């Protein structure tokens, strides 16, 4: 009795889990010839159930077979006509959709997605769904024109582009035209993108493109015309004005015109815009800047040196110092026969006599009085202005 109860519980748990293991996908989809398509097939992963195998099979009008298989050994494409054209996500648990590249008319048919899970008790659960794929050829749609990054108003000298975009079965061919006065048009190219490396004012005008493929008897689809304008603005100067009288300037060096907005900061000063017309300048090299700086420094040094050498102080005086060796005392002692003791101090008399009558009066000073044993001379100096 207990074994029957256990088997019933296990069977009910398997039925409950298998109810959650449901493959989901559409019953029919349409793919465009020569384009890619995805056949959806997905489930919600359930704990204790591990995906064991995955198979995609196809049934065509006159043939059938297994396209793709994934198991413990890896993923394998089994039909040669699908080799390098089909794939299944490997890093998305629960997503086992089939992706097909470059659809062919022969790819139409019924595709079956079959998944097998292994439960924790080693039992297997298998589910599958079938999706019908129809491959159709779509005529080219009316193209639209997409301008480049600078839009339809482009500065002269800049790079510009216009791209013609249409949908439909490839291959799609494109042609570019420029409208001319009188209703005629000039053929410019047969690529999807029309490019100007350096736009000139003569390139301004009206442009349109045409798209065509092999479907629908090769009907040509024409886009709406767009107007391409070329603007040529003058070079501007950047002026930065701050409170306190600080003025900073920055000169643009690009070939394209530049509009600059500057602000005036400070209490009671709202933001203002200044635009000043300026001519384009030539940028100097680093060698030329250094050479000019050295030359200016040398000229400045020479000018300062000449000014210092030629400048003479107004109140400058030149003094003449005369030395008189006084030997009167020695001669007097010899004539009288009386020996006089030599004086042990040296007394220097300085007389400062400016020769200019407008100078200071003569001053007699006595300096450098010191004891000097053995000194027998008395020196007398007269200082006079020789100028």
């Amino acid at each position: 009795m207990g074994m029957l109860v256990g088997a019933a519980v296990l069977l009910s748990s398997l039925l409950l889990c298998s109810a959650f293991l449901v493959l989901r996908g559409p019953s029919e989809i349409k793919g465009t010839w020569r384009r890619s398509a995805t056949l959806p097939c997905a489930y919600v992963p359930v704990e204790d159930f591990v995906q064991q195998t995955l198979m995609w099979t196809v049934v065509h009008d006159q043939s059938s077979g297994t396209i793709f298989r994934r198991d413990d050994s890896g993923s394998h494409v089994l039909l040669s006509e699908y080799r390098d054209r089909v794939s299944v996500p490997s890093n998305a648990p629960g997503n086992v959709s089939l992706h097909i590249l470059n659809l062919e008319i022969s790819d139409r048919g019924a595709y079956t997605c079959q998944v097998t899970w292994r439960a924790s008790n080693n039992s297997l659960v298998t589910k599958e769904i079938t999706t019908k794929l129809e491959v159709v050829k779509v005529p080219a749609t009316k193209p639209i024109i997409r301008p480049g990054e600078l839009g339809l108003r482009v500065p002269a000298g800049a790079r510009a582009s216009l791209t013609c975009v249409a949908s439909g079965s490839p291959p799609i061919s494109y042609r570019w035209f420029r409208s001319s006065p009188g209703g005629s048009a000039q053929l410019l190219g047969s690529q999807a993108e029309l490019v100007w490396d350096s736009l000139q004012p003569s390139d301004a005008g009206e442009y349109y493109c045409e798209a065509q493929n092999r479907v629908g008897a090769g009907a040509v689809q024409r886009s709406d015309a767009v107007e391409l304008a070329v603007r040529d603005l003058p070079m501007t100067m950047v002026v930065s004005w701050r409170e306190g009288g600080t003025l900073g300037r920055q000169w643009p060096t690009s070939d394209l015109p530049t509009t600059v907005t500057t602000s005036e900061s400070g209490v009671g000063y709202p933001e203002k815009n200044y635009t000043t017309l300026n001519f384009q300048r030539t940028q100097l090299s680093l060698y030329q800047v250094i050479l000019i700086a050295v030359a200016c420094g040398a000229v400045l040094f020479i000018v300062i040196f000449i000014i210092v050498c030629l400048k003479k102080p107004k109140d400058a005086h030149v003094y003449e110092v005369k030395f008189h060796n006084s030997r009167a005392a020695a001669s007097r002692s010899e004539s009288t026969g009386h020996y006089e003791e030599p004086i042990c101090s040296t007394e220097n008399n300085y007389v400062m006599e400016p020769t200019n009558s407008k100078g200071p009066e003569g001053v007699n000073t006595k300096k450098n009085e010191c004891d000097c044993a053995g000194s027998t001379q008395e020196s007398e100096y007269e200082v006079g202005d020789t100028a």
Side-chain angles (χ1 to χ4, degrees):
M1 184 67 180
M3 295 180 61
L4 292 177
V5 173
V9 171
L10 179 60
L11 181 60
S12 61
S13 62
L14 290 176
L15 292 176
L16 181 62
C17 292
S18 62
F20 290 101
L21 292 173
V22 177
L23 295 177
R24 302 182 182 277
S27 59
E28 182 177 359
I29 64 171
K30 288 184 178 181
T32 304
W33 177 58
R34 294 293 180 87
R35 294 191 178 273
S36 60
T38 299
L39 306 181
C41 182
Y43 65 91
V44 177
V46 178
E47 189 178 0
D48 296 332
F49 281 82
V50 180
Q51 178 179 311
Q52 188 70 20
T53 59
L54 165 66
M55 287 194 306
W56 274 96
T57 58
V58 62
V59 177
H60 295 303
D61 295 337
Q62 298 178 353
S63 63
S64 62
T66 301
I67 304 172
F68 182 89
R69 178 182 175 88
R70 176 178 292 167
D71 51 23
D72 295 338
S73 62
S75 300
H76 310 279
V77 178
L78 304 179
L79 291 180
S80 59
E81 59 265 28
Y82 290 95
R83 192 158 298 166
D84 298 328
R85 292 201 302 127
V86 297
S87 62
V88 176
S90 58
N91 297 323
N95 184 7
V96 290
S97 302
L98 182 67
H99 187 68
I100 306 175
L101 300 175
N102 299 324
L103 285 176
E104 298 290 346
I105 299 298
S106 59
D107 291 337
R108 64 179 58 165
Y111 291 79
T112 300
C113 173
Q114 184 184 80
V115 181
T116 300
W117 296 270
R118 182 180 295 276
S120 57
N121 59 355
N122 290 330
S123 60
L124 299 177
V125 177
T126 301
K127 295 292 181 69
E128 65 179 29
I129 58 171
T130 300
T131 301
K132 183 180 179 181
L133 173 63
E134 185 69 24
V135 180
V136 296
K137 293 183 177 181
V138 179
T141 60
K142 180 180 179 179
I144 59 174
I145 298 178
R146 294 178 180 175
E149 296 180 357
L150 299 179
L152 293 176
R153 292 182 56 85
V154 184
R159 188 180 189 275
S161 65
L162 296 175
T163 305
C164 188
V165 180
S167 60
S169 298
I172 300 177
S173 59
Y174 298 93
R175 291 190 303 173
W176 276 100
F177 297 89
R178 178 179 180 178
S179 300
S180 300
S184 61
Q186 177 185 1
L187 178 63
L188 300 177
S190 58
Q191 301 294 329
E193 187 178 23
L194 187 63
V195 180
W196 294 268
D197 292 330
S198 180
L199 195 66
Q200 301 300 321
S202 58
D203 295 324
E206 192 176 80
Y207 296 84
Y208 66 91
C209 68
E210 293 179 349
Q212 182 183 14
N213 63 1
R214 300 175 182 176
V215 183
V220 177
Q221 301 291 333
R222 177 176 172 175
S223 70
D224 295 330
V226 296
E227 184 74 22
L228 181 64
V230 181
R231 54 188 175 90
D232 189 8
L233 298 180
M235 179 71 69
T236 59
M237 179 184 67
V238 181
V239 179
S240 178
W241 185 15
R242 299 181 181 275
E243 185 182 10
T246 302
L247 181 63
R249 295 179 180 178
Q250 179 182 0
W251 301 88
T253 57
S254 63
D255 293 335
L256 297 181
T258 306
T259 302
V260 182
T261 301
T262 60
S263 63
E264 181 181 5
S265 61
V267 179
Y269 290 90
E271 292 187 354
K272 297 181 180 180
N273 298 333
Y274 299 89
T275 302
T276 305
L277 180 62
N278 179 39
F279 294 99
Q280 184 176 358
R281 68 182 181 88
T282 302
Q283 188 174 6
L284 297 178
S285 64
L286 180 60
Y287 172 77
Q288 293 174 330
V289 173
I290 295 176
L291 185 60
I292 293 174
V294 172
C296 293
V299 172
L300 181 62
F301 175 78
I302 293 173
V303 172
I304 294 176
F305 180 76
I306 293 174
I307 293 175
V308 171
C309 292
L310 295 180
K311 186 177 179 182
K312 179 180 179 181
K314 295 181 179 180
D315 298 332
H317 298 281
V318 179
Y319 296 91
E320 180 182 359
V321 180
K322 297 179 180 180
F323 172 73
H324 303 279
N325 190 3
S326 178
R327 299 182 179 271
S331 60
R332 286 195 301 268
S333 62
E334 291 178 358
S335 60
T336 58
H338 182 267
Y339 176 75
E340 294 181 0
E341 189 70 22
I343 301 174
C344 295
S345 62
T346 302
E347 181 177 0
N348 298 327
N349 296 327
Y350 298 88
V351 180
M352 300 179 64
E353 299 178 353
T355 58
N356 192 347
S357 60
K358 296 181 181 180
E361 297 180 355
V363 179
N364 296 328
T365 59
K366 294 182 180 181
K367 297 181 181 180
N368 299 329
E369 294 182 6
C370 61
D371 295 338
C372 50
S375 176
T376 61
Q377 293 183 350
E378 179 178 356
S379 301
E380 186 175 315
Y381 296 86
E382 179 182 350
V383 181
D385 189 358
T386 62

